[in-house]
Amino acid sequence: MRIVLYSHDSVGLGHVRRNLALAHALTNQLPGLIGRPVTGILITGTALAPAFLLPEGWDWVLLPGVAKGSSGYLPRNLALPMQELVPLRARLLQATLAGFSPHLVVVDRHATGVHGELETALRRARTAGQVRVVLGLREVLDAPAAALAEWARVGGPRVVKDLFDAIWVYGDPAVHDPVAAGEIPFTLRKLIRYTGYLAEGRPAASGTSCMPGKYCMTTVGGGSDGYALASVAVAAPVPDGLGHLVVAGPQMPAEQLNDLRKQARPGVKVVAAVDDLVFHIRHASAVVAMGGYNTVCEIMSTAVPALIVPRTQSRAEQRIRAASLAAAGYLEQHEIGTLTPEILAGWLAARIGTTVDRRRAVLDGLIRVPQLAAELLRPLADSDQFGTEVATSDQFGADEFQQDESIATRRAKGGASRVAV
């Protein structure tokens, strides 16, 4: 079973990290659901992607990078105008899908890619063979007006319905419902499946810590826009008996990283990256982070108290996410404009020795996604294209609104509050 996962990757590492988690989940679980091994390609626009561990049977296709400037997308490295770079990326996308002939394509966040670069490749793939195409969306897109403007730029709901068989929203509508919030057009609601957060079951890496003893932790995602929070963190007094690990991110400029190391108080260790972020979060006494989707999911898979300091520039996504999860009782939030080293130190001191009960949160999206993929792919696996019948309808649930284990049922398994230990 051939799978392609596409992410455009202009800012940060969130898109490719989300697709990488899906690749591991699909490889581990889909063969048992449809009786076919999985092989796949991750299409990405960041040259940092190959540093991540791939599941067996997968490989990378790296597109020439794009970045985001004040006036929109621009080439990250190549000395080309965008009107030449976009067709170049589009031809690479068309060649990849035509040559690989995937049975499933999952597009992360941007339905037709940068400036529509993916649309022709998707249309040709649908014409050439049996393929299912899914749009994968984080649970928060942006402020409604900005999100709806983006839908309009890709051609609106009509184009989305032409290109996609389903929309997977990687979240819990009880925490944040992007349709009710006005971020997804109401006319697309029948395509939507809510998976829950892609939190539990993320692949482990080294399982070792780079920080001896007890510690608190600050992480700023990819780091390209994390200097403001990291600079507050390195200046915050560290509670007695505790170290402070500050993960600046592999995309933080070298001069900013060096500056953080010079500013760091005693007991503070500044690193560009760690081998296993989930392991470090799980063993921290408290975590401070920006509000990116993957970081929040990794925090939510633990009981560690967390303070989210969302990005204030570009999109409203992180602010909306932090507010919704704080309202649900799963974490706390603070604006970067009023955060001082003293305020941060006080928060850390107050949270040491406490945990957060997140058992009511729906965190099993990495189990639900392979089930949804199996439902889409079963007709292909049963067809003459693959030979013998390998599955029965009883295995895969039925109606789109009567899923085998609803989010409401899964949420009812726990509670949400901070408790002292």
Side-chain angles (χ1 to χ4, degrees), residues 268-350:
V268 176
K269 180 177 182 178
V270 180
V271 299
V274 293
D275 289 337
D276 192 335
L277 188 63
V278 176
F279 179 89
H280 284 82
I281 292 173
R282 184 168 290 121
H283 290 84
S285 297
V287 175
V288 180
M290 294 179 69
Y293 179 86
N294 292 284
T295 302
V296 166
C297 281
E298 288 158 343
I299 290 169
M300 292 281 285
S301 70
T302 76
V304 178
L307 179 68
I308 301 300
V309 185
R311 174 191 295 135
T312 56
Q313 297 178 338
S314 185
R315 299 186 180 278
E317 166 218 347
Q318 293 195 5
R319 296 198 301 273
I320 296 170
R321 176 174 299 114
S324 63
L325 288 167
Y330 297 135
L331 47 77
E332 298 170 79
Q333 63 172 330
H334 200 290
E335 292 293 328
I336 186 62
T338 57
L339 186 65
T340 65
E342 292 71 28
I343 290 174
L344 183 56
W347 183 87
L348 290 170

Side-chain angles (χ1 to χ4, degrees), residues 347-363:
W347 183 87
L348 290 170
R351 297 297 172 264
I352 303 306
T354 69
T355 60
V356 179
D357 186 343
R358 300 183 174 110
R359 287 175 294 179
R360 287 188 64 246
V362 183
L363 306 176

Side-chain angles (χ1 to χ4, degrees), residues 193-231:
R193 307 292 184 272
Y194 291 96
T195 68
Y197 292 94
L198 307 180
E200 294 176 344
R202 291 200 171 217
S206 65
T208 58
S209 177
C210 70
M211 194 73 176
K214 291 185 176 182
Y215 63 92
C216 54
M217 179 176 173
T218 296
T219 177
V220 295
S224 59
D225 58 355
Y227 178 75
L229 175 57
S231 62

